[in-house]
Amino acid sequence: MSPALHVLAADPVGDHRTLIISLFSVFVVATLVITVWAGRQTKSAADFYAGGRQFTAFQNGLAVSGDYMSAASFLGIAGAIALFGYDGFLYSIGFLVAWLVALLLVAEPLRNSGRYTMGDVLAYRMRQRPVRTAAGTSTIVVSIFYLLAQMAGAGVLVSLLLGITSDAGKVGIVALVGVLMIVYVTIGGMKGTTWVQMVKAVLLIAGAILLTFLVMLKFNFNISDLLGTAAENSGKGSPFLEPGLKYGATATSKIDFISLGIALVLGTAGLPHILIRFYTVPTAKAARKSVNWAIGIIGAFYLMTLALGFGAAALIKPDEIIASNKAGNTAAPLLALHLGGVDSNWGAILLASISAVAFATILAVVAGLTLASSSSFAHDIYANVIKKGKATEKEEMRAARWATVFIGIVSIALGALSRDLNVAGLVALAFAVAASANLPTILYSLFWKRFNTSGALWSIYGGLFTAVFLVLFSPVVSGKETSMFKSADFDWFPLENPGLISIPVGFLLGVVGTYLSKEKADPDKYAELEVRSLTGTGAH
């Protein structure tokens, strides 16, 4: 065992275990206090779903950043850059550019047109029950895909710190995160989740700034030296800093990169936990401003992932990163250890602090995702489909809490299976599903007069089924050492990301379903929606 891995196995896990557990406990207790405080102020459905629409543009921008900068951003991207150099940084570029689509096409019209969920927008000028059922189903599936990444990140992170190597122990960690997630949402609702997101965003940015400063200090603030050392230490040489190390070896990998890029750029505007954030501000103008704040904060963070990833590549041997986690998800915590000193107390303190921030990131994001899916079930499926619009606010909120428990259990089960997958890759799958099922329907509903109920159903279900079906038969699930089921082999679909196929299918099926249907769209309803989405007249 290498000295670094020996220290990880002995020093931080043994001598410094009390410090690690203390830092984790401080954050968990602090966020639980915030959640209980917010829960006492949650009196109505508007409080539970939208935080009472009382958050400012800056507060919501900070919370959106917290929702978006997930385990994929902090753990997955750093690991991908550390192992694959330039190709790993493509995740950062894709995640950031995606915000332009959300800002220019979705943020303001969605805030004006809906009330609590994506289903509100889609059902405004269409048949309520089938469209809300489809919207709720899609929201839950996308959220669960995204939750897999957070659960996988939690299992890897806490296992590293506490020296847990058994599969049962890792599953237990995933279960613990799931239980905390259920508590946050059922007690705090949107108010609690938003405050937790804001605290987490500040901690994450502060941690990234600290690591970036220490990395640059190590190389005398010379970026050229950092990149050169990273390339040399990686064992790949100059190709480490050039395109193609991960996605350029074969024609299939090049196509997979195109698929990944499309999914990343288009997926953000269809992510349920991001979309519901636009309802927490009082006006459409505030929604637009909150996205501007989010772009600035997220952009600064993704620039710092360069230092995190290449710093890990420069200071840690790739074999050590892979030995800790095959997908590279522990590169950022390992970097913190090396920057502080592998044999020093400062190294252990920095490792524990950064890992606590990463754990905070995971807890906050899983709470936001669970809230999005449980809200959609309660508001769209339970209240408007099962109860036909006759449910009381108390009944609706009770249904949301029970949905949270169910979604938490499903996420725990699937997260246990996904613990060895790269979390950035898992999030990219969620982006692909969101871009395939949600984005076409949202854009068509807002901007196409002819669009009708049939088109919405074809688009949502068609895009959703295509994306999930292709993922099931991709290398993500079987056929590779890093797959979910390592011993199985049914990966006849060669791409790891289905976006190249499923996203065009979602858009195309929306058109086909619309023109094949005899149903005629209501021009008056579309005119109302158009005015409302553009001006905010009648917005909640």
Side-chain angles (χ1 to χ4, degrees):
M1 181 181 288
S2 68
L5 289 180
H6 177 74
V7 172
L8 278 173
D11 194 27
V13 175
D15 298 340
H16 302 283
R17 178 176 288 160
T18 301
L19 170 66
I20 293 166
I21 294 176
S22 298
L23 284 170
F24 274 61
S25 300
V26 165
F27 177 79
V28 171
V29 171
T31 51
L32 284 174
V33 169
I34 292 171
T35 300
V36 171
W37 167 77
R40 289 179 177 175
Q41 301 183 50
T42 300
K43 308 294 184 184
S44 65
D47 290 332
F48 186 86
Y49 293 135
R53 308 190 210 285
Q54 297 172 349
F55 292 99
T56 66
F58 173 71
Q59 288 175 328
N60 193 50
L62 200 57
V64 168
S65 304
D67 244 339
Y68 199 66
M69 295 184 300
S70 65
S73 301
F74 196 53
L75 301 178
I77 293 177
I81 295 174
L83 295 180
F84 301 106
Y86 181 94
D87 280 14
F89 184 58
L90 294 172
Y91 280 103
S92 292
I93 297 171
F95 284 147
L96 179 57
V97 171
W99 272 105
L100 296 177
V101 179
L103 172 63
L104 298 175
L105 294 178
V106 171
E108 191 171 350
L110 196 79
R111 168 60 184 77
N112 288 339
S113 306
R115 190 180 180 191
Y116 300 133
T117 67
M118 178 182 73
D120 289 333
V121 179
L122 304 183
Y124 187 80
R125 63 187 184 98
M126 297 174 193
R127 297 201 308 274
Q128 292 269 326
R129 298 181 72 187
V131 170
R132 285 191 182 274
T133 301
T137 301
S138 177
T139 295
I140 292 169
V141 172
V142 172
S143 297
I144 287 176
F145 264 95
Y146 212 114
L147 278 167
L148 294 186
Q150 314 312 314
M151 296 297 196
V156 165
L157 186 67
V158 184
S159 298
L160 167 72
L161 291 172
L162 301 186
I164 296 172
T165 56
S166 68
D167 288 340
K170 293 177 181 178
V171 171
I173 293 165
V174 172
L176 173 63
V177 174
V179 170
L180 286 171
M181 165 183 82
I182 292 168
V183 170
Y184 286 158
V185 176
T186 54
I187 295 177
M190 177 58 86
K191 282 189 176 181
T193 301
T194 300
W195 280 107
V196 169
Q197 292 287 15
M198 285 191 276
V199 171
K200 165 256 170 152
V202 172
L203 289 174
L204 185 59
I205 288 291
I209 290 172
L210 176 61
L211 287 185
T212 299
F213 175 78
L214 292 175
V215 167
M216 297 311 297
L217 185 65
K218 196 91 171 175
F219 292 92
N220 299 313
F221 295 90
N222 188 317
I223 295 177
S224 180
D225 283 352
L226 167 62
L227 297 179
T229 305
E232 182 180 349
N233 194 53
S234 70
K236 310 278 194 326
S238 59
F240 189 73
L241 304 178
E242 299 171 359
L245 193 60
K246 179 176 174 61
Y247 294 109
T250 64
T252 300
S253 64
K254 291 177 181 177
I255 295 172
D256 209 4
F257 165 66
I258 296 172
S259 187
L260 171 68
I262 294 172
L264 293 181
V265 170
L266 297 180
T268 297
L271 290 175
H273 69 300
I274 299 298
L275 296 179
I276 64 170
R277 285 253 155 248
F278 300 140
Y279 299 127
T280 65
V281 290
T283 65
K285 183 179 180 181
R288 189 173 63 251
K289 281 187 175 181
S290 67
V291 177
N292 289 335
W293 275 112
I295 289 175
I297 295 168
I298 292 167
F301 174 80
Y302 282 136
L303 281 177
M304 289 187 283
T305 60
L306 274 170
L308 300 182
F310 285 112
L315 299 175
I316 311 167
K317 292 294 183 183
D319 290 346
E320 294 180 9
I321 297 173
I322 294 170
S324 177
N325 178 256
K326 291 177 183 176
N329 292 324
T330 55
L334 287 173
L335 173 64
L337 176 69
H338 280 258
L339 288 170
V342 171
D343 297 311
S344 71
N345 288 335
W346 282 114
I349 291 171
L350 195 56
L351 169 68
S353 302
I354 293 302
S355 298
V357 169
F359 192 64
T361 297
I362 291 165
L363 288 178
V365 173
V366 295
L369 287 161
T370 309
L371 179 64
S373 49
S374 61
S375 297
S376 186
F377 172 82
H379 183 63
D380 291 323
I381 297 176
Y382 175 77
N384 286 287
V385 176
I386 298 174
K387 288 290 188 176
K388 301 179 182 178
K390 297 178 181 178
T392 65
E393 285 196 351
K394 285 188 176 180
E395 290 175 334
E396 205 170 316
M397 290 165 67
R398 190 184 306 121
R401 291 186 168 107
W402 279 111
T404 298
V405 174
F406 174 76
I407 291 163
I409 292 170
V410 172
S411 300
I412 290 169
L414 294 176
L417 294 172
S418 308
R419 60 185 179 274
D420 290 329
L421 301 179
N422 181 274
V423 290
L426 283 172
V427 164
L429 291 181
F431 274 60
V433 177
S436 304
N438 295 346
L439 183 61
T441 319
I442 291 170
L443 294 181
Y444 285 154
S445 185
L446 288 173
F447 302 113
W448 185 21
K449 184 186 296 187
R450 177 75 173 78
F451 194 52
N452 57 27
T453 303
S454 177
L457 298 180
W458 277 57
S459 184
I460 291 178
Y461 286 128
L464 186 66
F465 175 80
T466 303
V468 174
F469 179 77
L470 293 178
V471 168
L472 289 176
F473 294 98
S474 74
V476 171
V477 175
S478 72
K480 292 172 63 177
E481 183 63 28
T482 54
S483 299
M484 187 179 292
F485 300 104
K486 302 176 183 62
S487 56
D489 187 4
F490 46 85
D491 58 324
W492 54 261
F493 181 68
L495 304 182
E496 293 189 8
N497 192 291
L500 186 63
I501 306 297
S502 60
I503 296 172
V505 166
F507 277 96
L508 179 62
L509 288 178
V511 175
V512 172
T514 297
Y515 281 110
L516 287 181
S517 172
K518 295 180 181 179
E519 175 191 3
K520 291 186 178 180
D522 186 341
D524 293 334
K525 271 287 187 183
Y526 175 75
E528 288 177 25
L529 179 64
E530 187 176 34
V531 170
R532 184 170 171 172
S533 67
L534 295 177
T535 66
T537 302
H540 295 281

